Amino acid sequence: MSMNLNSAENEDRGVSSNQSDVWRRHAMVSLYSSLLNHAAINGYQRAMKLQCDVEVVNRMLPSFGMKSRGKGVRAVVSIGKHLDKSSQRSNIYMMICTAKDRTGSKYKLRDNIEKFFTWFVEEGKATVRLKEPAVDVCLSKADANSLKNFLSAARLADRGSNTSSLPLSTLTPVRARDVEQPKKKLSVMSKKDYPLTSNFPYSLEQLQVSYCKLSRVDMRMLSLKALRRLDLSNNHIKKLPATIGDLGCLSELILHNNHLEAFSEALCLSTLQQTLQVLDLSQNRLQSLPSRFCQLRELMNLKLDDNKLAGLPLQIGRLSKLRFLSAAHNQLTVLPADFFKLSLENLDLFGNPFVQPNPLDHTMQLAFPLPLQEIASRAVVDLRIPYGPHLIPAHLCGELEAAKMCECGRICVSFHIRTAVSMNLHQVSHTVVLVDDMGGTDAPVEQHFCSLSCYSEFLDGCLQRGLR
């Protein structure tokens, strides 16, 4: 008897449990459905208004021998209700507001769209062809997702079905700032003018923020994908975020008079390799530049004045497009051997403590016989054998990239003899700022030798020319 009672209780519990599971599922489905509806309504609310460039082309113009202007103007395009005075009924219209016509021009949508042209919708372009009047509404420079939502709403309005799901409001004139041309240039020259509560205009191509006492780069600047020139001079910035390298259009980076102590190697390996042409790092606290600095091969103008640099990048000769170089008032005592490869228009190295070179003064890093690693490294560079961190350790890649060229034409990597020779800087630059107060234009340049015999031949040549 007791067993039967227990089994009955268990069955009741099972039924109760099953019912609660069903109710729970129903509640979750209902909640999920309401969230989807809410999300759809929010999406359509965003779709009801679109900021873009608009050109309204009258299709009858060619018959009168006329052409359209072919250029859009900044506008806000809205879909909403408007009361027809003749019928006293609300219909759905598309309204186009521009800076010259903020009250807007209205076009009826229901059963009035002949065709949508959406081949380039992913590029933010589309055309809506209306039946009456016979015009094409050409949309461009729109956000692709917003444009898709807008076109979906226009289709529903044209069909006249399910328009109840569209949260349509009465069409009203727009504010002047909504139809302004996208701002391309902005200068902020004092801390009180710095935007704290509003974002920088997304369309900026040139941004200058100076004398604002910034201690770091504002991350809002790094979302400006159209930015070509960024000037953060005369601030207190100590470190650059690697995400500056994500600015895919940046060609000029001005960081004059900050507190920078290093230039990140990550920036040298970023998209700046393909875009950066002007770099101003003058008046900072730099003591060295990263070994990969010369990966920035598009550089044409490089300013390094008034730092604490003890040397320039060893592979500076790889900057084949460099035309303007200034590194005045640093701690340079000798120039890298690669300096011979430069072809400059203007060079300024004034105020550096260059030493008078003596070919007899040398540093020897040789072993007899040469280690197997050095022999292999020389062969890899000489024979141009491909290498990379996926094949050999990263530190070996760094050594190979810093390989030196002997006067005989052969390569030396870690084992060599180093000395310095004097070079007239007019050999590498059309215009040279005097190196010292004495009016000189000569500077010492490193020279490397792969063996004792090469260094001996070099010394013999110096002695024959009477150079000591």
Side-chain angles (χ1 to χ4, degrees):
M1 181 68 178
S2 61
M3 290 176 63
N4 292 336
L5 287 172
N6 288 336
S7 62
E9 289 176 4
N10 289 336
E11 287 177 8
D12 289 342
R13 287 196 193 99
V15 170
S16 176
S17 176
N18 289 336
Q19 287 178 339
S20 64
D21 286 344
V22 171
W23 293 335
R24 192 178 295 112
R25 288 194 198 99
H26 278 304
M28 290 184 69
V29 168
S30 177
L31 177 61
Y32 182 63
S33 177
S34 65
L35 287 173
L36 282 178
N37 288 334
H38 182 67
I41 289 171
N42 283 341
Y44 278 126
Q45 283 175 336
R46 290 191 295 271
M48 296 302 99
K49 191 171 286 190
L50 179 70
Q51 285 189 318
C52 60
D53 281 12
V54 176
E55 183 188 9
V56 180
V57 179
N58 190 323
R59 298 199 298 276
M60 302 301 292
L61 288 179
S63 62
F64 297 106
M66 301 170 66
K67 292 183 179 180
S68 64
R69 200 161 56 105
K71 186 178 180 182
V73 296
R74 200 64 185 169
V76 173
V77 189
S78 310
I79 297 176
K81 294 178 181 177
H82 178 67
L83 181 66
D84 281 342
K85 292 181 179 180
S86 57
S87 63
Q88 292 299 310
R89 294 179 60 183
S90 288
N91 284 311
I92 301 176
Y93 284 79
M94 173 170 63
M95 183 170 76
I96 302 172
C97 298
T98 64
K100 291 184 178 180
D101 181 17
R102 285 167 48 198
T103 57
S105 301
K106 301 177 186 68
Y107 300 92
K108 188 178 176 181
L109 288 184
R110 184 164 183 174
D111 298 326
N112 195 37
I113 297 180
E114 184 175 316
K115 192 173 182 180
F116 290 94
F117 297 90
T118 58
W119 296 301
F120 303 105
V121 70
E122 294 294 342
E123 299 176 16
K125 301 176 183 177
T127 297
V128 181
R129 173 164 289 180
L130 300 178
K131 299 175 184 176
E132 184 62 37
V135 297
D136 289 347
V137 180
C138 305
L139 311 173
S140 61
K141 297 183 181 179
D143 175 77
N145 290 327
S146 300
L147 179 58
K148 290 176 187 176
N149 289 334
F150 183 86
L151 295 175
S152 297
R155 281 192 180 93
L156 286 177
D158 174 51
R159 293 169 189 160
S161 59
N162 297 324
T163 53
S164 58
S165 64
L166 299 177
L168 298 172
S169 58
T170 304
L171 294 172
T172 56
V174 297
R175 297 168 297 183
R177 67 183 183 186
D178 292 333
V179 287
E180 289 177 347
Q181 283 291 337
K183 201 163 191 176
K184 300 291 182 71
K185 188 175 180 179
L186 176 65
S187 294
V188 182
M189 303 300 290
S190 67
K191 195 171 183 180
K192 65 181 178 63
D193 296 328
Y194 191 78
L196 296 174
T197 56
S198 60
N199 287 327
F200 294 98
Y202 74 95
S203 54
L204 283 180
E205 294 181 4
Q206 298 184 45
L207 174 61
Q208 180 179 9
V209 179
S210 300
Y211 304 102
C212 293
K213 299 183 179 179
L214 295 181
S215 59
R216 58 184 177 83
V217 178
D218 191 331
M219 300 306 285
R220 292 178 297 170
M221 300 175 187
L222 306 182
S223 63
L224 304 174
K225 299 305 180 184
L227 206 59
R228 297 181 182 277
R229 187 177 194 273
L230 178 59
D231 185 344
L232 298 174
S233 58
N234 300 294
N235 283 291
H236 299 163
I237 298 170
K238 295 181 179 179
K239 186 177 180 182
L240 297 175
T243 42
I244 284 183
D246 296 333
L247 296 173
C249 298
L250 193 66
S251 61
E252 296 185 42
L253 181 57
I254 312 299
L255 297 161
H256 165 79
N257 192 22
N258 275 281
H259 298 168
L260 292 173
E261 296 178 353
F263 188 83
S264 167
E265 186 168 284
L267 292 176
C268 305
L269 303 176
S270 68
T271 56
L272 295 182
Q273 290 182 352
Q274 289 84 44
T275 62
L276 194 63
Q277 297 179 347
V278 177
L279 178 60
D280 188 348
L281 297 171
S282 59
Q283 291 190 34
N284 279 280
R285 301 171 181 177
L286 299 172
Q287 296 184 26
S288 64
L289 293 172
S291 58
R292 302 287 185 90
F293 184 83
C294 296
Q295 297 284 354
L296 302 171
R297 298 192 181 186
E298 295 299 315
L299 277 178
M300 298 178 65
N301 191 334
L302 177 59
K303 296 183 179 181
L304 301 169
D305 311 272
D306 297 290
N307 278 282
K308 300 177 182 179
L309 293 173
L312 295 176
L314 294 178
Q315 288 87 37
I316 195 168
R318 294 184 180 181
L319 300 178
S320 58
K321 296 185 179 181
L322 195 64
R323 295 295 176 263
F324 301 90
L325 172 62
S326 56
H329 302 289
N330 277 281
Q331 302 300 315
L332 304 177
T333 56
V334 64
L335 300 174
D338 240 24
F339 207 84
F340 278 109
K341 298 178 183 178
L342 292 177
S343 180
L344 305 172
E345 293 181 19
N346 189 280
L347 174 62
D348 183 1
L349 297 174
F350 181 81
N352 282 286
F354 289 123
V355 296
Q356 183 66 31
N358 182 352
L360 293 174
D361 293 336
H362 64 272
T363 302
M364 184 179 293
Q365 290 175 272
L366 281 178
F368 305 97
L370 286 174
L372 182 59
Q373 180 179 314
E374 176 71 11
I375 296 172
S377 296
R378 291 185 179 189
V380 166
V381 179
D382 272 328
L383 301 175
R384 298 183 180 181
I385 299 173
Y387 63 88
H390 61 293
L391 296 173
I392 59 176
H395 73 277
L396 290 180
C397 293
E399 290 179 9
L400 290 172
E401 288 175 2
K404 295 90 179 169
M405 177 77 74
C406 177
E407 197 173 52
C408 71
R410 288 194 290 264
I411 294 295
C412 46
V413 182
S414 299
F415 290 83
H416 50 73
I417 299 173
R418 185 180 73 235
T419 186
V421 295
S422 183
M423 178 184 73
N424 190 305
L425 297 177
H426 280 291
Q427 290 180 237
V428 295
S429 180
H430 179 72
T431 304
V432 178
V433 176
L434 301 180
V435 172
D436 51 42
D437 293 327
M438 303 300 292
T441 57
D442 287 2
V445 180
E446 285 184 337
Q447 194 152 350
H448 298 87
F449 302 93
C450 65
S451 63
L452 273 175
S453 60
C454 286
Y455 181 53
S456 298
E457 287 182 20
F458 166 74
L459 287 180
D460 288 343
C462 290
L463 292 172
Q464 289 174 9
R465 292 190 299 268
L467 300 176
R468 292 184 180 274

